[in-house]
């Protein structure tokens, strides 16, 4: 009696392990879903002349055929600008496992970001979206050049 229970448990375990392994190797098939999410990117804005942090900077992002390519997130840190870039992914999933993700490319691979501040020239920096997707946690340094009329008012 004891051996029959042990054999039944052993057979059930082997079958369960076989099902999990078969699913891992996608033998039961894969479904693909398109998911939309966001990638957070942070920028540190500094004065190009003296290296001081520049606060209250806003951004405008644009691409070909997309005039509003990102959204700005509130930042309570001086000199930091956080943006969210929408991204579409195709996720391949089996019963128990994510088999992989592929980012859907946009029409324009470049993202142009204008940094806006009334006392500084508004620099436009261009980034390859693939670079931003590959390393979303990096901090990008942006040098803000003061406007001439703003410098005259300071003096």
């Amino acid at each position: 009696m004891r051996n029959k229970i042990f054999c039944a448990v052993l057979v059930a375990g082997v079958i369960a392990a076989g099902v999990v392994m078969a699913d891992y190797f996608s033998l039961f098939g894969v479904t693909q879903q398109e998911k939309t999410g966001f990638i957070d990117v942070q920028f540190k804005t500094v004065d190009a002349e003296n290296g001081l942090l520049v606060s209250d900077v806003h951004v405008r992002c644009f691409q070909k055929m997309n005039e509003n390519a990102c959204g700005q997130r509130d930042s309570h840190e001086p000199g930091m600008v956080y943006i969210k870039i929408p991204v579409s992914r195709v996720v391949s999933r089996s019963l128990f496992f994510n088999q992989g993700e592929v980012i859907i490319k946009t029409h324009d691979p470049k993202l142009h970001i204008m940094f806006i501040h009334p006392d500084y020239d508004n620099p436009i920096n261009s980034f390859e979206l693939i670079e931003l997707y590959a390393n979303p946690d990096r901090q990008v340094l942006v040098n803000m050049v003061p406007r001439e009329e703003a410098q005259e008012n300071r003096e």
Side-chain angles (χ1 to χ4, degrees):
M1 180 71 173
R2 210 177 220 178
N3 288 337
K4 288 182 183 181
I5 294 174
F6 177 73
C7 288
V9 170
L10 184 63
V11 168
V14 168
I15 290 173
V19 167
V20 170
M21 286 180 57
D23 185 56
Y24 180 77
F25 292 111
S26 305
L27 297 180
F28 301 127
V30 175
T31 60
Q32 293 186 337
Q33 294 177 324
E34 184 176 333
K35 291 189 176 185
T36 303
F38 292 94
I39 291 180
D40 294 319
V41 182
Q42 49 185 297
F43 297 92
K44 186 174 187 177
T45 54
V46 296
D47 190 302
E49 293 179 352
N50 55 26
L52 295 175
L53 296 176
V54 179
S55 296
D56 300 322
V57 175
H58 299 285
V59 296
R60 172 75 185 201
C61 303
F62 47 93
Q63 293 174 295
K64 288 180 186 171
M65 300 171 58
N66 187 2
E67 293 186 14
N68 194 11
C70 75
Q72 185 171 356
R73 197 179 81 186
D74 287 338
S75 168
H76 302 292
E77 298 176 52
M80 296 301 295
V81 176
Y82 295 95
I83 66 169
K84 290 180 151 298
I85 302 170
V87 60
S88 295
R89 297 180 170 111
V90 174
V91 179
S92 299
R93 181 158 175 73
S94 61
L95 293 173
F96 304 120
F97 300 100
N98 278 342
Q99 300 293 339
E101 281 186 13
V102 176
I103 293 176
I104 299 173
K105 293 184 180 180
T106 59
H107 295 289
D108 184 10
K110 282 198 177 276
L111 176 67
H112 308 285
I113 304 174
M114 177 186 290
F115 295 88
I116 303 168
H117 192 282
D119 295 337
Y120 293 87
D121 285 336
N122 298 331
I124 299 175
N125 293 4
S126 297
F127 300 94
E128 291 286 333
L129 282 174
I130 296 298
E131 292 176 15
L132 294 176
Y133 294 157
N135 193 2
D137 295 329
R138 76 174 180 177
Q139 191 179 79
V140 180
L141 184 68
V142 178
N143 290 315
M144 304 285 288
V145 178
R147 290 187 178 179
E148 291 180 19
E149 58 268 9
Q151 274 186 326
E152 292 170 4
N153 290 341
R154 287 184 200 165
E155 296 170 354

